[in-house]
Amino acid sequence: MAQALDQVDYDTLDAAKRRFIDAAKRTLGFASAYGIVPASGLGASANAFSFNLAPFLEAGARELSMTLVPEGLGTADDTRPDDLSEEELRRFWWNIGIKIISCLTNDAATSGMQTILLGLYLPSSTPETIFTPAFLDGFLDGVVEGCKRVGCVYLSGETPQLKTKMIPGRLDIAGSVFGVMPAGVAPIDSSRLDAGNTIVLVESSGPHENGFTPLRKLAQSLPDGYRTKLPSGQEFWKAINAASYLYTPLVQAVLGEGIRPTAMENITGHGWQKLMRSVKPLRYVIETMLPVPEIFTFVEGHLEGGAETMLSVFNYGAGFAFYTESEQDAERIVILAREHKLTAVIAGRVEASLSREVVIEPLGITLKGDSFGIARGV
């Protein structure tokens, strides 16, 4: 007996793709300083971006430094209550749209790269339950807003239906970005990082995209789950879902001022251990901390390990770090951050050491490098 053909739900997928293409069209002018995308070409298997080389030729640049960064959002989009209203869902997905832009472009910014192009990969097994009006309205508006803030073009995407590989009702959100260094500026690769440098920390809005595995587990034990209220009255799910800060505009402003940080780090997975990302045996002494957002003190009060564990997992209120050769440059970065509506502080200094470590003096905590296996400059 012949079986009915089990095929991909192209009606749902094609309708979603048209929405994604419409969103892409809204971003075409965001990277106009670097080139253009002919709108007539959108919807092709490979969309073209015409890169403007004039500024690089005028600067006498003989090389074009670029990057390609792939990244995934993880489980942040699963960290919500099941009873969200349509308006709450739209806001939730708007924040998730910002978060995927954040985890892609903030990583690129650590080398000084300006993200130009962005692509997304969103596989699911049941697109009919994923690509709802609330998702498409919220997520795509968030992506467009994120691209606008960063100054990049959402150029391409893929939304495959993977019936046997994905959990029904779940979505994976990932993507990649193409970025370039500004004309005449060399990539920031930590090779100049050294003892005597000054450390600047820039605030975060909350967990950003990291630490959601323990946050999801914690929600299971809270009296009202994700709806549990923090002391301020804000619900747990809203606090952990706050839209991430996008640091590319600040990084480009710093470079545009002629400041050349010796290193920059996006404080994500591994928390403050990321401050000792360089392979060099250095001690990073933190004397002044940024205010710790309520969500972190709330979580700290419910998980074992105290502040040391929090610092090893979460950004704990500090989302990005600059290292500078002079305190004057550090002071200027603090001012530039304020102009970009971000709070930053001169947090401490880099010292010579026999091994890598981060010393957080206000908390009396030292994070040792032997527990942090990744390093930049290997």
Side-chain angles (χ1 to χ4, degrees):
M1 180 177 180
Q3 293 183 354
L5 181 64
D6 184 14
Q7 60 181 332
V8 169
D9 183 358
Y10 280 113
D11 289 341
T12 298
L13 291 176
D14 288 349
K17 285 183 178 181
R18 287 192 291 272
R19 289 293 305 275
F20 277 83
I21 291 172
D22 288 341
K25 290 179 179 178
R26 293 157 60 190
T27 72
L28 296 186
F30 293 162
S32 57
Y34 288 88
I36 61 169
V37 180
S40 60
L42 282 181
S45 296
N47 299 314
F49 180 86
S50 297
F51 196 86
N52 179 17
L53 293 174
F56 298 87
L57 296 174
E58 292 170 2
R62 298 178 62 85
E63 295 179 346
L64 179 64
S65 296
M66 63 186 72
T67 190
L68 177 66
V69 179
E71 187 59 87
L73 184 63
T75 57
D77 63 306
D78 292 332
T79 313
R80 68 185 190 275
D82 295 327
D83 62 346
L84 292 182
S85 67
E86 283 294 301
E87 182 54 37
E88 286 176 324
L89 272 173
R90 282 182 172 83
R91 186 64 193 183
F92 173 85
W93 285 117
W94 189 94
N95 286 347
I96 294 298
I98 295 291
K99 284 180 182 290
I100 185 60
I101 301 298
S102 167
C103 66
L104 288 164
T105 64
N106 284 348
D107 276 356
T110 62
S111 294
M113 298 285 176
Q114 167 64 51
T115 295
I116 305 299
L117 305 176
L118 181 145
L120 295 177
Y121 180 67
L122 296 93
S124 67
S125 65
T126 54
E128 69 278 4
T129 67
I130 297 296
F131 298 125
T132 64
F135 170 83
L136 292 170
D137 292 343
F139 180 76
L140 292 177
D141 279 353
V143 167
V144 171
E145 176 62 24
C147 288
K148 180 180 180 181
R149 294 181 186 181
V150 170
C152 64
V153 172
Y154 167 49
L155 189 65
S156 64
E158 177 68 2
T159 56
Q161 182 175 4
L162 307 178
K163 286 189 175 184
T164 62
K165 291 187 175 183
M166 299 286 296
I167 299 173
R170 297 295 178 90
L171 174 71
D172 190 24
I173 302 177
S176 62
V177 296
F178 167 77
V180 299
M181 290 299 298
V185 180
I188 308 300
D189 60 5
S190 297
S191 60
R192 295 185 296 111
L193 180 67
D194 206 350
N197 284 182
T198 300
I199 304 170
V200 175
L201 294 179
V202 186
E203 68 173 331
S204 74
S205 63
H208 286 186
E209 303 86 47
N210 294 96
F212 280 84
T213 296
L215 292 175
R216 291 167 63 206
K217 185 175 181 180
L218 173 59
Q220 297 173 7
S221 65
L222 295 176
D224 294 311
Y226 289 113
R227 292 284 191 187
T228 299
K229 290 185 178 180
L230 278 58
S232 66
Q234 185 180 36
E235 292 184 353
F236 181 70
W237 76 272
K238 288 186 177 181
I240 61 179
N241 182 53
S244 307
Y245 288 143
L246 306 173
Y247 299 111
T248 297
L250 173 58
V251 168
Q252 293 305 311
V254 168
L255 298 178
E257 287 272 319
I259 300 171
R260 297 294 178 263
T262 58
M264 297 183 288
E265 291 298 338
N266 183 28
I267 305 175
T268 54
H270 302 288
W272 285 36
Q273 296 177 96
K274 279 283 180 69
L275 293 176
M276 53 178 163
R277 183 71 176 268
S278 171
V279 71
K280 295 180 180 180
L282 295 168
R283 177 182 299 113
Y284 305 85
V285 181
I286 303 300
E287 302 166 304
T288 303
M289 295 177 59
L290 289 155
V292 179
E294 180 189 32
I295 182 58
F296 293 123
T297 55
F298 177 84
V299 171
E300 185 177 338
H302 287 79
L303 297 180
E304 296 179 356
E308 183 170 352
T309 296
M310 295 295 294
L311 288 163
S312 298
V313 176
F314 299 99
N315 66 58
Y316 212 58
F320 202 87
F322 291 90
Y323 304 79
T324 65
E325 290 179 321
S326 72
E327 190 162 332
Q328 289 75 21
D329 282 348
E331 291 170 348
R332 184 58 186 150
I333 290 175
V334 171
I335 294 171
L336 288 169
R338 189 182 308 130
E339 293 174 357
H340 284 77
K341 299 181 179 180
L342 292 167
T343 299
V345 296
I346 297 178
R349 62 191 185 279
V350 182
E351 296 180 345
S353 177
L354 296 177
S355 60
R356 295 189 298 164
E357 62 181 20
V358 179
V359 179
I360 303 99
E361 289 186 343
L363 301 178
I365 292 173
T366 298
L367 305 176
K368 296 290 188 179
D370 54 11
S371 64
F372 181 52
I374 61 174
R376 185 175 185 175
V378 175

